[in-house]
Amino acid sequence: MAGSSDPDYEMVVADLRSRFPSGRICSGTVEQVLRTVAFVRLEDARGMINTLNLTSGYFRDFNERLRVGQVITAQVMYVDAAKARVHLSVRALEANPAAAFLDRIGDVVPATVVALAEHGDALLALSNSLVAHLSIPEKDRATVRVGDEVRVRISEVDLGTEPGTHWAAVALA
């Protein structure tokens, strides 16, 4: 591919930016799915979705959420001039998953352990699209496993101002 100092290359990037401005909603077909990124065909352009922009929910591998040939709708984040590629976000089109928990502060709810760190931190799925962080007390670490359901109390919810900045704070119940 030509470098960014090539006038033809600069025209290609300018064309992409005019056809795919930030915020545009577009559809495309998934062409390739790797572990942490997926490539999407958008008309005659190539788009990319990374892990932060796929969904609010927890997943280990893009193959859990996307398949080659699948048609998706996403929002344009920006055009990468160095690679002449359109960066996309499916997550930006999702409803804020934390909103469902705003009126649940103080409630005890079930959550599923989706990941554990050696030092006792856990990621918990509160819903299909909202993950919370929890520090497991040392006395309980040996008994908690990925896939377990735990009961947690919702202590705080922040809707965030940008996609992906929402969160819920929880404590073991």
Side-chain angles (χ1 to χ4, degrees), residues 98-154:
F101 291 89
L102 268 178
D103 61 350
R104 310 268 329 254
I105 294 173
D107 289 355
V108 174
V109 299
T112 303
V113 178
V114 294
L116 286 169
E118 288 181 29
H119 58 279
D121 286 349
L123 287 180
L124 306 175
L126 296 175
S127 69
N128 285 339
S129 56
L130 184 62
V131 177
H133 171 266
L134 177 69
S135 290
I136 306 290
E138 191 167 344
K139 66 179 180 60
D140 297 325
R141 290 179 190 165
T143 62
V144 177
R145 305 220 183 315
V146 171
D148 286 355
E149 185 174 290
V150 295
R151 310 269 309 152
V152 294
R153 184 174 311 279
I154 306 290

Side-chain angles (χ1 to χ4, degrees), residues 11-116:
M11 286 177 43
V12 167
V13 171
D15 177 61
L16 282 175
R17 285 185 172 147
S18 70
R19 291 187 299 129
F20 297 100
S22 294
R24 176 183 168 196
I25 309 299
C26 55
S27 292
T29 304
V30 176
E31 289 187 315
Q32 184 179 16
V33 181
L34 304 175
R35 183 168 156 67
T36 61
V37 69
F39 295 98
V40 178
R41 174 60 46 202
L42 302 167
E43 302 164 12
D44 62 344
R46 193 158 202 216
M48 185 190 92
I49 302 171
N50 65 24
T51 53
L52 294 176
N53 288 308
L54 182 58
T55 185
S56 296
Y58 178 81
F59 59 95
R60 293 183 191 279
D61 189 317
F62 263 49
N63 290 291
E64 294 176 20
R65 301 290 175 125
L66 295 176
R67 297 280 178 252
V68 171
Q70 179 180 350
V71 175
I72 62 158
T73 301
Q75 183 174 356
V76 174
M77 302 306 289
Y78 63 94
V79 172
D80 179 348
K83 295 182 181 176
R85 185 180 299 148
V86 181
H87 283 251
L88 303 167
S89 175
V90 174
R91 182 182 196 164
L93 301 178
E94 294 177 345
N96 189 327
F101 291 89
L102 268 178
D103 61 350
R104 310 268 329 254
I105 294 173
D107 289 355
V108 174
V109 299
T112 303
V113 178
V114 294
L116 286 169

